[in-house]
Amino acid sequence: EDQVTQSPEALRLQEGESSSLNCSYTVSGLRGLFWYRQDPGKGPEFLFTLYSAGEEKEKERLKATLTKKESFLHITAPKPEDSATYLCALMGYQKVTFGTGTKLQVIP
Amino acid sequence: NAGVTQTPKFQVLKTGQSMTLQCAQDMNHNSMYWYRQDPGMGLRLIYYSASEGTTDKGEVPNGYNVSRLNKREFSLRLESAAPSQTSVYFCASSPRGSTEAFFGQGTRLTVV
C-alpha cells in the first residue's frame, strides 16, 4: 500500500531562518510527487511536481528535491507570508495519496 | 477568472438529511475530483471524473453519489447524512495530461 509520512508535524521558524520539510514515501510505482501549500480556510495550492530521483524544482524561496525514498521542501530565508501548511502527495499506479502536512509558522 | 467555485461554504445538516454540494470550474479542464479532509488524515479521494460523462469511485465513496452534469460542473450528493461525514470537502480540477490540480475553497460540513 502506498504511504506518505510528513515530518515534522509543525515547525516554528524565525524570519530568515532556513529549514527543510520532509516527506517520506513508499510506493509500488511512482508516477509523480507533488507539493501543495494550504492556507487556513482555503484549498491547497499547487507548488511542484517531481517525477524522478535527483530532480529539483525551485520557486522563489522554495526548493523541492526528490530521492527514491523521500522528498524535501527547502525553505530559504522564510518570510511570515510563507506561513502555511505544506502538503506532500504521491501518485502511484492506482491513486494519489496525500500526507497530513507540516504546519509552518514563520515569526517576524 | 474564478477557477474552481464551491457552494455552499458552510452547511449544518441533521442526521438523515440529504444535500448536494456544487462545484464548477471555468478553466475548461477535463478532470474533476471530490476530496474530503479530516483532522490528522490526508486528503482522501471520494469520486473523480476523468471526462464529461464518466465518473469513478475513489478511496472513500460509500455514502456519496456524484454527477458530472457537463464539462464545467461536478456535484456531490449525500443521500442520508451521517455524523461520520462531518468534514471539509474540496472539489478540484485538472487539465488533460497534467499533474497540477486546482482546488476550490472548500465546503465545511457538520452533521449533527
Side-chain angles (χ1 to χ4, degrees):
Chain A
E1 183 178 334
D2 299 348
Q3 288 192 330
V4 178
T5 303
Q6 291 189 247
S7 61
E9 288 187 12
L11 182 62
R12 198 173 185 199
L13 298 174
Q14 291 291 134
E15 183 172 2
E17 181 187 1
S18 300
S19 187
S20 297
L21 314 183
N22 178 264
C23 172
S24 298
Y25 66 89
T26 56
V27 64
S28 53
L30 181 67
R31 295 171 58 196
L33 187 136
F34 315 112
W35 283 98
Y36 285 85
R37 169 192 171 125
Q38 186 173 21
D39 293 298
K42 295 192 174 182
E45 177 187 349
F46 174 82
L47 294 173
F48 306 108
T49 305
L50 302 168
Y51 293 100
S52 58
E55 189 175 359
E56 299 182 352
K57 288 192 176 173
E58 291 188 63
K59 181 180 181 179
E60 296 180 359
R61 294 176 293 282
L62 301 177
K63 179 180 177 181
T65 62
L66 181 66
T67 72
K68 289 186 177 180
K69 293 183 178 180
E70 54 194 351
S71 177
F72 293 94
L73 185 65
H74 307 278
I75 304 177
T76 303
K79 298 182 178 182
E81 53 262 41
D82 294 322
S83 297
T85 296
Y86 291 86
L87 304 175
C88 169
L90 61 85
M91 179 187 292
Y93 283 127
Q94 300 290 338
K95 63 175 185 174
V96 175
T97 302
F98 278 82
T100 53
T102 293
K103 185 173 183 179
L104 174 66
Q105 183 183 14
V106 182
I107 303 162
Chain B
N1 190 344
V4 179
T5 303
Q6 293 183 234
T7 55
K9 288 187 169 52
F10 302 93
Q11 184 71 48
V12 178
L13 289 178
K14 293 182 178 179
T15 298
Q17 286 185 320
S18 62
M19 79 160 296
T20 299
L21 280 63
Q22 306 287 353
C23 175
Q25 52 92 8
D26 61 3
M27 296 173 284
N28 201 36
H29 288 169
N30 289 91
S31 301
M32 297 187 74
Y33 313 85
W34 276 105
Y35 286 91
R36 62 178 288 174
Q37 188 173 40
D38 301 293
M41 303 187 74
L43 283 156
R44 292 181 293 169
L45 183 64
I46 305 171
Y47 271 93
Y48 67 98
S49 171
S51 62
E52 185 179 351
T54 68
T55 61
D56 286 288
K57 294 179 180 180
E59 186 180 354
V60 287
N62 291 344
Y64 306 95
N65 285 299
V66 291
S67 295
R68 183 76 183 265
L69 304 170
N70 48 54
K71 193 170 187 179
R72 290 187 64 248
E73 299 172 287
F74 189 38
S75 62
L76 178 72
R77 183 161 178 84
L78 287 71
E79 292 290 352
S80 178
S84 61
Q85 294 178 305
T86 294
S87 187
V88 181
Y89 291 85
F90 289 100
C91 177
S93 69
S94 64
R96 187 192 303 276
S98 172
T99 56
E100 180 177 352
F102 296 79
F103 283 80
Q105 297 250 19
T107 295
R108 186 174 294 275
L109 175 67
T110 302
V111 183
V112 297

